[in-house]
Amino acid sequence: MEEIIYISLYGLELKMKKIKGIFCHDLPIYKDKNGMYGCTTLTDDVFKRYLNHVDELVVATRVYHLDCTLEDVHQEKITLPNLKFIDIPNLNKPQYLLTRLHRATKMMEVEFKECDLIFIRGGTIADIGVALAKKYNKPYFCECAGIAFEGLWYYSLLGKLIAPFSELHTKKMVRKAAYVAYVTDEYLQKRYPTKGVAANISDVVIEKVEDAVLEKRIEKIKSRRPDEPWIIGTAAGLMTRLKGQQFVIEAMSRLGDRYNIRYELAGTGNPEYLLSVAKKFHVEDRVVIKGEINHNEILSWMDSLDTYIQPSMQEGLPRALMEAMSRACPCIGSTAGGIPELLEPDAIFKRGDILQLTNIMSEFYESNWYDHSRYNYSRVKHFRRDILEEKRKDFIGRYRNYVLNGK
């Protein structure tokens, strides 16, 4: 049934249709033993972007049920009103698609019949959303944040079989979207062109960029003694090989003992594989597993680094790299995704190319990094929250006006 909002204006009662939106994404959200939902990625700040334009937002994503509290697993509580969660089961295995896809589609279809604005972000659940949008002839808003092919190709043997089909499907999905927000300036636009209205709006925002940070970094570089270790770091999942920390470890081994390097790894997950790589290349005494670092403390950790490295095989526009740049930290990155749009050319290596990475690390070790610090600090200013939020608000507002008013 269509919901109506009644507004009293100068004694007259006006009727307005309640605007509903649906957000379709495959990233998991957690539901704790008290019935509270939470996530460190899909947070209140993220959902506010959509609630600025709808009266109610339905969230269709994977839900993992916990027998503990959100605090116990370090997840951020979602507290916004006017959010409705659909507990979509995990669909990311072939057997699950066979046994659960029909049920998941029916769960989403109930909501799609009444939703006005459709936000598509990625994954199998987003694919269902696109199919339902087509079925009900509803224009959708697509957020293009990564490469479908790479996320599967580097994951498993089964992923290699699925990757080409997923890539073609993503190209079709983006091409037919009414509005598309790309997180890159050029990279994703070239790979996934659209017939709809497009804008480049990063999904990573930097809270503030202070001149004092750059001054402090320059002073840190000046005061570093030759006998001190060169501290490098990466913040990424520790359980996956897609983030490429193993390449940095091997590069350390190639550089040899003459280079006094300590590599710190922050992130969640089992580090067993990375530790085995460190042992294989005889640098286990110089690889430090920091584990999960609270987001409130991650910037302080980045301040302690001499260089940040993002050696990923697959990326969109990496949050951790941009946060390191906001601390005026000299950075090295691979050619994955939009990383080359962020860093200077002499700080970029071809993903997976250990020899090139080794050479760049050697050059950084011998240099004073001032130019990279200043460049990174200047570049990341374009990603300040106030700039991006205003741009995103305007763009989603244009999509809303298109759907509701046909213009």
Side-chain angles (χ1 to χ4, degrees):
M1 179 181 292
E2 183 181 88
E3 295 190 55
I4 302 295
I5 301 174
Y6 290 89
I7 300 176
S8 179
L9 183 65
Y10 300 112
L12 299 175
E13 196 172 71
L14 305 177
K15 293 194 299 183
M16 294 183 64
K17 180 180 182 296
K18 186 175 183 179
I19 305 303
K20 287 187 176 183
I22 186 166
F23 173 83
C24 307
H25 189 26
D26 222 39
L27 193 73
I29 280 181
Y30 298 87
K31 185 178 182 181
D32 73 7
K33 66 179 184 180
N34 299 318
M36 295 297 299
Y37 290 89
C39 184
T40 56
T41 305
L42 297 178
T43 62
D44 280 352
D45 277 347
V46 170
F47 291 127
K48 282 178 185 176
R49 300 171 183 174
Y50 313 105
L51 284 170
N52 283 331
H53 304 275
V54 299
D55 300 301
E56 180 183 358
L57 182 69
V58 177
V59 179
T61 190
R62 275 184 291 160
V63 176
Y64 288 164
H65 294 261
L66 304 173
D67 56 5
C68 56
T69 67
L70 294 171
E71 290 79 7
D72 292 333
V73 290
H74 308 291
Q75 297 298 318
E76 184 175 335
K77 188 180 296 183
I78 298 170
T79 62
L80 289 176
N82 303 322
L83 285 176
K84 177 182 178 181
F85 295 91
I86 309 177
D87 291 18
I88 304 294
N90 184 5
L91 301 172
N92 287 344
K93 291 185 179 180
Q95 62 267 35
Y96 293 164
L97 282 174
L98 291 173
T99 59
R100 301 174 179 178
L101 180 61
H102 179 74
R103 178 162 62 95
T105 302
K106 290 299 181 184
M107 292 169 67
M108 291 175 61
E109 189 166 16
V110 171
E111 303 295 339
F112 256 82
K113 291 177 180 179
E114 298 184 351
C115 282
D116 303 288
L117 305 187
I118 301 166
F119 301 101
I120 301 295
R121 194 156 178 176
T124 305
I125 293 170
D127 293 343
I128 297 173
V130 171
L132 290 172
K134 181 179 180 181
K135 179 177 180 179
Y136 291 100
N137 195 30
K138 294 187 177 185
Y140 58 90
F141 183 104
C142 179
E143 297 179 73
C144 190
I147 304 298
F149 181 88
E150 294 168 356
L152 291 165
W153 183 264
Y154 296 109
Y155 185 73
S156 65
L157 178 59
L158 179 60
K160 285 179 169 57
L161 297 175
I162 299 173
F165 300 99
S166 178
E167 179 76 359
L168 289 173
H169 179 77
T170 302
K171 285 180 181 290
K172 183 178 179 181
M173 177 181 74
V174 176
R175 186 172 66 251
K176 294 188 174 183
Y179 279 69
V180 182
Y182 295 93
V183 300
T184 60
D185 291 337
E186 297 179 2
Y187 181 74
L188 291 172
Q189 287 88 328
K190 291 179 179 178
R191 183 141 184 167
Y192 302 115
T194 183
K195 293 181 178 179
V197 182
N200 57 309
I201 309 173
S202 170
D203 61 345
V204 178
V205 295
I206 301 301
E207 292 295 338
K208 53 186 177 181
V209 183
E210 301 174 339
D211 289 346
V213 171
L214 178 59
E215 295 168 4
K216 184 178 178 181
R217 173 63 63 175
I218 297 300
E219 184 57 37
K220 174 180 171 62
I221 295 172
K222 287 180 179 178
S223 62
R224 182 174 176 271
R225 299 192 312 272
D227 61 329
E228 291 181 325
W230 181 43
I231 303 175
I232 60 178
T234 299
L238 303 178
M239 78 299 288
T240 175
R241 304 183 189 192
L242 289 176
K243 294 302 179 180
Q245 299 99 319
Q246 66 271 21
F247 305 135
V248 181
I249 294 172
E250 184 173 347
M252 287 173 60
S253 175
R254 292 190 179 204
L255 288 170
D257 295 335
R258 185 173 71 85
Y259 292 79
N260 185 9
I261 304 173
R262 185 170 80 225
Y263 186 28
E264 297 186 356
L265 300 174
T268 59
N270 188 339
E272 182 179 351
Y273 166 70
L274 293 174
L275 290 173
S276 69
V277 173
K279 187 174 182 180
K280 173 184 176 181
F281 290 106
H282 310 291
V283 293
E284 63 268 30
D285 58 329
R286 293 187 282 151
V287 173
V288 180
I289 303 296
K290 304 291 287 187
E292 183 177 9
I293 299 179
N294 187 289
H295 192 262
N296 295 329
E297 301 171 353
I298 196 74
L299 298 184
S300 296
W301 172 68
M302 289 175 171
D303 285 340
S304 73
L305 301 176
D306 293 310
T307 299
Y308 180 85
I309 303 182
Q310 194 74 47
S312 310
M313 292 296 288
Q314 184 264 336
E315 281 291 355
L317 209 65
R319 173 184 296 274
L321 174 59
M322 294 171 66
E323 289 176 332
M325 293 171 68
S326 77
R327 309 311 293 177
C329 188
C331 298
I332 298 170
S334 73
T335 53
I339 294 176
E341 295 181 3
L342 297 174
L343 302 178
E344 293 187 280
D346 62 347
I348 298 293
F349 69 97
K350 184 178 179 181
R351 58 184 174 189
D353 190 330
I354 297 171
L355 178 59
Q356 190 179 14
L357 172 59
T358 303
N359 291 335
I360 292 176
M361 287 174 62
S362 175
E363 291 169 2
F364 264 62
Y365 186 89
E366 302 291 348
S367 71
N368 58 29
W369 319 311
Y370 293 125
D371 290 342
H372 287 289
S373 292
R374 294 190 178 97
Y375 178 88
N376 292 348
Y377 174 80
S378 175
R379 178 73 178 92
V380 84
K381 284 184 176 181
H382 299 288
F383 298 92
R384 287 201 334 256
R385 173 181 287 277
D386 57 337
I387 295 174
L388 290 177
E389 288 300 333
E390 186 62 31
K391 189 174 183 180
R392 181 180 291 105
K393 186 176 181 180
D394 175 72
F395 193 58
I396 296 179
R398 290 169 60 191
Y399 163 65
R400 182 184 191 274
N401 192 44
Y402 169 75
V403 172
L404 300 182
N405 304 315
K407 53 183 178 181

